[in-house]
Amino acid sequence: MFVAGIDGGGTHTRLELRDEKNQFIERMTFGPFNLNSIGEMAFRSLLHEVLDACGDLSQCRGLCIGAAGVSNSRVKEILSEVLGNAEMKGPWKLCGDQEIALRGAMDTPGLAVIAGTGSICFGKNESGETARSGGFGHLIDDGGSGYALGRDALSAAVRFLDGRGGSEALCHGIFENLGISSAEELVRFVYGPETNKSDIAKLSGVVLALAGQGENASGEILTRGAEEIACMVKAVQNRLNLPNCPIALLGGLLESENPYRQAVEKALAPYGKTQYPCHDALWGAAQMAWELA
C-alpha cells in the first residue's frame, strides 16, 4: 500500500511516494504537466509515465495532484479516464498548485503568497474554508509578480528614452541585460512573437539589483508590487475572517532574502507574521494524499 503526491508544473512534474505509514519512499521528476502547452496526446503520455512509476495503482490508498491550469475541465476528464483504466481504487484529488503549496508551507490555518512569473494568494481558516485572490493572468492581473515588475521597469525605460522622466539606470540596466542599445530594439523585444511573459518577468532581476543599490525608481517599483501583494492578502483574510495569521512567502521572487522580500514583509506587517514554508509544494501534495487515505 502507498500514497502518491504530484506537483504538476509548467516545466516539470514531480512525484513523491510514501508508504502506508506515511514514510517517505522516493521522489521522481518528469516533463511538463500543462495540458494547454503540451497538447492532449503529450499530456496523456506524461500521465501514463508518472502513474507507471507509481506501481500498481490498485494498491494506492490516496493520490493528490496539484497543478496550475486545473480550471480546464478537460484535465479532470482525462485524469478520470486514465485512473479508471489503471484500476485506481483509492480516493484522489485534483487541485490548484496554490493549495498544495499552502499545505506544504504550514500545518495551521494561514495564507500562502506566491510571487514568481505570476502571483496569487491562497488561504484556509480553522473551519477548512478556502479563498484565493489574484492569479488571473498577466494580461489583467498578477499584481506584484515578476511580470508586473518587469513591465514597470520597461515602462520606466521608455519614459526615460522619451524624455518623460522614467529611470536612466533602469534603461541602461535593461539594455545591458538584453544586449540592445536603442528604443527600436527594445520595442522589437517587447512585441516580438518569440517574447513571452517569462521573458518580461526575468527583467525583475534588473529591478532587484538596482533597488539593492538604492536606485529610487526601482525601489518605487518594488514598493508598488508589495502593496499589490498586501491587497491580495487583505482580501483573503477578510473573506476567511482570518486576521493576523501566519503568511508564507513562496515563489521565485520571495523564496530568498532580497529587496523585494523585504518590501513585501514591510507591507504585510499589519496583516500577520511572514515565514518561510515548512515544506515544499510536493510535500504538501503527498501529505494531502495521506490525509485523503
Side-chain angles (χ1 to χ4, degrees):
M1 300 291 185
F2 66 93
V3 299
I6 296 173
D7 178 9
T11 56
H12 57 261
T13 301
R14 300 188 300 152
L15 166 70
E16 179 172 321
L17 299 177
R18 299 185 187 177
D19 65 19
E20 67 276 8
K21 296 181 180 179
N22 203 23
Q23 298 299 307
F24 174 80
I25 298 176
E26 65 177 318
R27 285 186 166 192
M28 290 171 272
T29 302
F30 306 87
F33 189 87
N34 194 313
L35 171 64
N36 297 327
S37 299
I38 66 177
E40 185 169 318
M41 183 177 297
F43 183 66
R44 286 178 176 274
S45 178
L46 170 75
L47 287 179
H48 285 295
E49 183 183 5
V50 174
L51 297 176
D52 285 347
C54 290
D56 182 0
L57 285 185
S58 68
Q59 300 299 306
C60 182
R61 299 291 301 275
L63 169 66
C64 177
I65 303 169
V70 296
S71 57
N72 183 341
S73 61
R74 189 63 181 143
V75 174
K76 189 168 186 177
E77 292 171 3
I78 295 172
L79 269 170
S80 298
E81 176 190 333
V82 172
L83 290 172
N85 292 338
E87 299 185 353
M88 172 78 180
K89 298 295 192 299
W92 63 277
K93 178 177 182 176
L94 174 66
C95 61
D97 53 357
Q98 72 275 6
E99 189 167 348
I100 61 172
L102 176 61
R103 185 63 191 88
M106 62 185 71
D107 290 323
T108 62
L111 274 60
V113 171
I114 307 172
T117 299
S119 62
I120 191 169
C121 177
F122 180 78
K124 179 181 286 190
N125 63 19
E126 292 182 357
S127 301
E129 298 171 308
T130 63
R132 59 169 275 182
S133 179
F136 292 102
H138 68 290
L139 291 180
I140 58 173
D141 195 27
D142 283 353
S145 67
Y147 179 89
L149 301 184
R151 178 203 59 212
D152 287 357
L154 287 165
S155 177
V158 295
R159 289 180 70 86
F160 168 75
L161 291 170
D162 216 21
R164 290 180 287 148
S167 168
E168 181 178 6
L170 274 171
C171 183
H172 290 166
I174 289 172
F175 276 16
E176 182 177 355
N177 182 274
L178 297 177
I180 61 176
S181 58
S182 68
E184 290 76 13
E185 290 175 294
L186 184 62
V187 171
R188 282 200 297 271
F189 163 76
V190 171
Y191 296 103
E194 70 284 354
T195 301
N196 57 44
K197 62 183 179 181
S198 296
D199 296 322
I200 303 297
K202 288 175 183 176
L203 295 176
S204 62
V206 177
V207 183
L208 292 179
L210 288 172
Q213 298 169 18
E215 201 270 325
N216 288 335
S218 298
E220 291 171 359
I221 289 173
L222 297 189
T223 298
R224 288 198 300 272
E227 290 170 350
E228 289 287 339
I229 296 292
C231 285
M232 291 192 288
V233 166
K234 182 179 180 181
V236 174
Q237 286 188 336
N238 287 343
R239 289 169 63 188
L240 295 178
N241 190 25
L242 198 60
N244 198 33
C245 65
I247 306 168
L249 302 183
L250 300 90
L253 285 173
L254 301 176
E255 63 189 8
S256 60
E257 284 297 325
N258 61 56
Y260 191 44
R261 184 183 174 98
Q262 293 167 9
V264 169
E265 288 176 333
K266 181 178 179 181
L268 295 183
Y271 304 104
K273 185 177 181 180
T274 58
Q275 66 177 62
Y276 286 96
C278 297
H279 304 281
D280 65 7
L282 180 56
W283 186 97
Q287 187 65 19
M288 288 174 66
W290 170 255
E291 290 163 359
L292 277 175

